[in-house]
Amino acid sequence: MTGARPCAAKKRRARERGGGVGGGGAAAEAAPRRERRPVEAAAGSMSWAPAAGRTLAALLLVASALSATLLAPGGSVERGPESAPPRDLDQKRRVELKMDQALLLVHNELLGTHLTVYWNSERCYHCLPQVLVNVSGSGGPGKLSTAVVAVSTQHRSILQLRDTAEDKEVCRLEYKFGEFGNYSLLVKHAHSGGSGTACDLVVNQNPVDSNLPVCIAFLVGLAVVIAVCFLRFLLSLDDFSNWISKAMSSRETDRLINSELGSPSRADQLGDDAQPEVWRPSAAPLRLRCVDTFRGLALILMVFVNYGGGKYWYFKHASWNGLTVADLVFPWFVFIMGTSIFLSMSSMLQRGCSKFRLLGKVAWRSFLLICIGIIVVNPNYCLGPLSWDKVRLPGVLQRLGVTYFVVAVLELLFTKPVPERGAWEGRCSSLQDIVSSWPQWLFILMLESIWLALTFFLPVPGCPTGYLGPGGIGDLGKYPNCTGGAAGYIDRLLLGEDHIYQHPSSTVLYHTRVAYDPEGILGTINSIVMAFLGVQAGKILLYYKEQTKDILIRFTAWCCFLGLISVALTKISENEGFIPVNKNLWSVSYVTTLSSFAFFILLILYPTVDVKGVWTGTPFFYPGMNSILVYVGHEVFRNYFPFQWRLQDNQSHKEHLIQNIVATALWVLIAYVLYKKKVFWKI
C-alpha cells in the first residue's frame, strides 16, 4: 500500500531501481552471492479451542527458531571461484549482483564494429528501449571485446543490439534470465560466410530458483492447515475425546485441590456475599464471522506486502496496468468496510439510535481516520520531521475516511428498515435488495459518470485527452509528464505536487519523472463505488437472512455480472482493453474485477464459516476484529524489533521472506491476545 510506507519508501525505491535495468545502467552494486538452501517458514496457523493461543504461540516460536537457524553463521557464503567471471576479466570489470539480477557478458567478435545494447522488459508496454551497455569493436581476428553488465530477472528481457556508428539493428532476442545466473552473449559473423551476424546466448552458470522459499513456505502452511484439520477431526470422535479427557482428569483434580488449599480465591477477598468473578457482558447481536474473517484476510495480506513480501515482484504493486497480490488487498478492505457499514448501521437503528446521533458518529470516525492517516501514518516522515510544506495529503486511511463518510451518509439518508421475511411479494421480491436502494444506486451511477467524464474528456495541458498511460518512457516516450492523465493533473492542480506521493510504482519500469498519488482525488470516486458494492453484499446477507440458497445465488450472480463487465472493458488483456485494470488509477475495470473476486470469496466463506461451521475463520478472524489497531500498529512499529532485524544477507529473498512472515504472524498473535482480553480499538 503506497499510503502505508512511512520510513522505508526511499530505501525500497532504491532497491527496486537496483532490481531492474534502464537509463544507462551498467554494473550494479550488491552483496556477494550466498549459498541457496530451501527455506522452511511457518506461514500460518489455525486454532479450534481454548488451546488456540498455545497453538499460535508454538507456531510463532517454530518460525522464529527456524529463522534464527537460517540466519546463523554459515547460512551465507562468499562468492567462490565457481561463480566468478572468466579469468580474462580483471577486477575492475567484475559485477556483484543484487537480488533479481543475473550477470551478462557481451562478447563482440565483429572487427571494428562498436555495439550498443538496449534493454527492455516485456512488462513495460510500448516503452523506449534503454541503453544497457556499450561494447567496443574487436581488436583483431580471434580477439573478443567484452562488456559485463547486470540484467533484471523479474520478467522476460528484450535485448536489442545495434551498430553504434550506422545505427542499425544487428540482432534482437528475448530471454528470461534466472536470478544469480551467469550468461554470455556472443556476437559473431554467421557461419554461412555471408554478411549476416549471429547472436548466441550461452549459460555459463545455472541460476538459482528464487521462488523456492515461497513454495516451501506455502507447503509448510498447507501442512499446518491439514494437521489442524486432522486434529479437529480426531477431537470430534467420541473415543478420542474421552481418552483426552481421562488423560487430563488427573491434572484438573490437582488444579482444583491446589486452588482450594492454596491462596484465597478472588471471591473470598471480596467477601462472602460477593458474586462469582466471571463477568458476563450483556448479549450482543450475532456477528457474521465471514465478514470479520474476510476483513482479517485482507488485513493480514496487507501487512505482509507492506512489510516487503520477501521482496518478490508479485508481492509489490504492479508498475502500471495489471494485477499483483499487493493490488488485491486494499480494494477488498474497502469492499468489506462497505458491508460492515450497512450491517452495523442497521443494527444501531434497530436498537433505537437516532439518525442525527449516528451522523455525528460517522463524521467523527471519518475525521479521526483522516487525521491518523496524515499525522501518524505518513510516508514523508522518512524525509525528517513532518513539514506542512511537504506533507502528503492523500493516503490509505484518508481515502478510507472519505469513502466511509460518503457511503455511510448515503445509507443513513436513504436507508429503509429491513423488511420481514415475506414482506416483499410480487414480481420485485427477488430484487428487493436492489429495488429498495434505488436512490443510492442513482447517486452511485452519477458518481461513476463524473469519473468517466473527467477521465476521458477533461483537457490536460501537454497530454492527449483521455490518456490513461504511465508517462515516462511509456508510449515510446511521447508523454513523459502525463502520468495518470486527468487523475494526476487534478491532484497536482488542487493539492500541489509537493503534497502527493513522490515515488509511484510506475517509476520502477517506466521511469516516470512527475509525482503521482494512487490514493488521489479522482480515484476516490471509484473507491466509493467499491464500498457501495460491499454495502450491496451486506444487504444480501441481511435481507435474506437464514435463506442460504438465496444468498449464495445472489453472490454468484453479482460475481458473474461484475466479471462480465470486466471482460468487456479489458478485452481479457492487460493493456489492450478499453479501460485496463489499473490500481494506480482505480479504474472502473479494477473495481469490477476486484468486486467480482470479493463476491466469490464471500460465496466461499459464508457457507463455510457461518452456515456449516466447517471453519471458524481462525486465524484471520482475530485481526479482522481489531483491524484499525493492527493496521496502525504495524505501520508505527514496522522498523522495531521483533518486526524487523538486521539481516545477514540483505540480498536474500529467503531472509526477507522469513522476516516478513514472522512479523505478520506476530500481529496475528497480538490480535488473538487482544481478542481474548476483550481489547478492541474502536474509533
Side-chain angles (χ1 to χ4, degrees), residues 557-569:
W558 274 106
C559 176
C560 296
F561 175 68
L562 294 169
L564 290 174
I565 293 177
S566 298
V567 169
L569 291 176

Side-chain angles (χ1 to χ4, degrees), residues 15 23 242 390 397 401 430 433 500 669:
R15 292 172 190 155
N242 293 335
K390 298 289 184 179
L397 289 180
S430 60
D433 52 309
I500 59 179
L669 182 60

Side-chain angles (χ1 to χ4, degrees), residues 1-8 12 302-303 306-307 376-379 396-397 629-640 667:
M1 308 296 299
T2 53
R5 302 172 183 172
C7 288
R12 181 172 303 150
M302 189 184 297
V303 171
N306 283 351
Y307 276 160
V376 180
V377 186
N378 197 302
V396 172
L397 289 180
L629 186 146
V630 172
Y631 179 80
V632 175
H634 99 276
E635 285 298 332
V636 172
F637 297 103
R638 67 180 305 159
N639 294 319
Y640 291 85
W667 282 110

Side-chain angles (χ1 to χ4, degrees), residues 350-371:
Q350 287 178 355
R351 293 201 302 267
C353 183
S354 68
K355 287 189 175 183
F356 183 77
R357 183 182 177 188
L358 202 53
L359 178 62
K361 289 185 176 182
V362 167
W364 178 246
R365 190 180 193 196
S366 302
F367 174 75
L368 287 179
L369 284 171
I370 294 172
C371 288

Side-chain angles (χ1 to χ4, degrees), residues 198-521:
C199 295
D200 297 330
L201 189 65
V202 179
V203 179
N204 302 323
Q205 177 187 339
N206 290 326
V208 300
D209 186 357
S210 59
N211 293 313
L212 185 61
V214 176
C215 296
I216 293 177
F218 174 77
L219 292 176
V220 170
L222 185 62
V224 170
V225 171
I226 294 174
V228 170
C229 292
F230 180 70
L231 188 55
R232 287 190 62 191
F233 171 74
L234 291 179
L235 290 174
S236 65
L237 301 177
D238 293 338
D239 293 339
F240 187 79
S241 261
N242 293 335
W243 179 76
I244 292 291
S245 299
K246 291 179 181 178
M248 298 181 64
S249 61
S250 59
R251 290 186 183 180
E252 183 67 12
T253 302
D254 292 342
R255 187 190 67 80
L256 292 173
I257 293 174
N258 292 334
S259 176
E260 292 298 327
L261 299 180
S263 59
S265 66
R266 187 176 302 174
D268 294 335
Q269 294 175 359
L270 296 175
D272 294 335
D273 297 332
Q275 298 295 323
E277 68 274 16
V278 179
W279 177 76
R280 300 184 180 276
S282 59
L286 181 65
R287 290 181 69 99
L288 287 167
R289 291 183 71 95
C290 68
V291 174
D292 294 312
T293 301
F294 191 4
R295 186 190 301 111
L297 172 64
L299 182 60
I300 290 307
L301 280 176
M302 189 184 297
V303 171
F304 177 67
V305 299
N306 283 351
Y307 276 160
K311 303 299 180 184
Y312 290 96
W313 67 267
Y314 39 80
F315 291 133
K316 299 176 183 177
H317 293 292
S319 192
W320 197 248
N321 294 333
L323 283 178
T324 64
V325 176
D327 297 322
L328 306 177
V329 292
F330 187 27
W332 283 349
F333 197 85
V334 171
F335 180 93
I336 210 65
M337 180 184 71
T339 305
S340 301
I341 286 174
F342 179 77
L343 295 177
S344 62
M345 190 172 294
S346 298
S347 176
M348 294 180 73
L349 290 174
Q350 287 178 355
R351 293 201 302 267
C353 183
S354 68
K355 287 189 175 183
F356 183 77
R357 183 182 177 188
L358 202 53
L359 178 62
K361 289 185 176 182
V362 167
W364 178 246
R365 190 180 193 196
S366 302
F367 174 75
L368 287 179
L369 284 171
I370 294 172
C371 288
I372 293 172
I374 293 177
I375 299 173
V376 180
V377 186
N378 197 302
N380 283 8
Y381 275 118
C382 65
L383 304 176
L386 199 62
S387 168
W388 288 113
D389 296 333
K390 298 289 184 179
V391 64
R392 181 194 178 196
L393 295 178
V396 172
L397 289 180
Q398 295 92 306
R399 173 168 285 188
L400 287 176
V402 173
T403 302
Y404 174 80
F405 180 79
V406 174
V407 174
V409 169
L410 183 65
E411 282 300 306
L412 194 59
L413 291 176
F414 297 106
T415 190
K416 297 178 181 178
V418 178
E420 297 292 336
R421 186 173 179 177
W424 283 74
E425 298 291 347
R427 57 184 179 181
C428 292
S429 59
S430 60
L431 300 174
Q432 56 177 304
D433 52 309
I434 300 176
V435 175
S436 63
S437 306
W438 70 265
Q440 296 96 308
W441 276 109
L442 184 61
F443 180 81
I444 292 298
L445 292 176
M446 288 175 59
L447 274 183
E448 191 56 45
S449 300
I450 293 173
W451 185 88
L452 291 170
L454 290 175
T455 299
F456 291 102
F457 299 107
L458 178 69
V460 179
C463 305
T465 303
Y467 182 70
L468 299 176
I473 64 173
D475 300 292
L476 301 178
K478 295 178 182 178
Y479 317 111
N481 298 319
C482 295
T483 303
Y489 174 67
I490 290 174
D491 289 340
R492 291 189 292 270
L493 182 67
L494 299 182
L495 303 177
E497 191 163 355
D498 291 336
H499 297 289
I500 59 179
Y501 196 56
Q502 301 297 310
H503 312 297
S505 59
S506 55
T507 59
V508 178
L509 283 182
Y510 292 95
H511 304 286
T512 52
R513 295 177 289 183
V514 296
Y516 179 81
D517 207 307
E519 276 78 51
I521 296 173

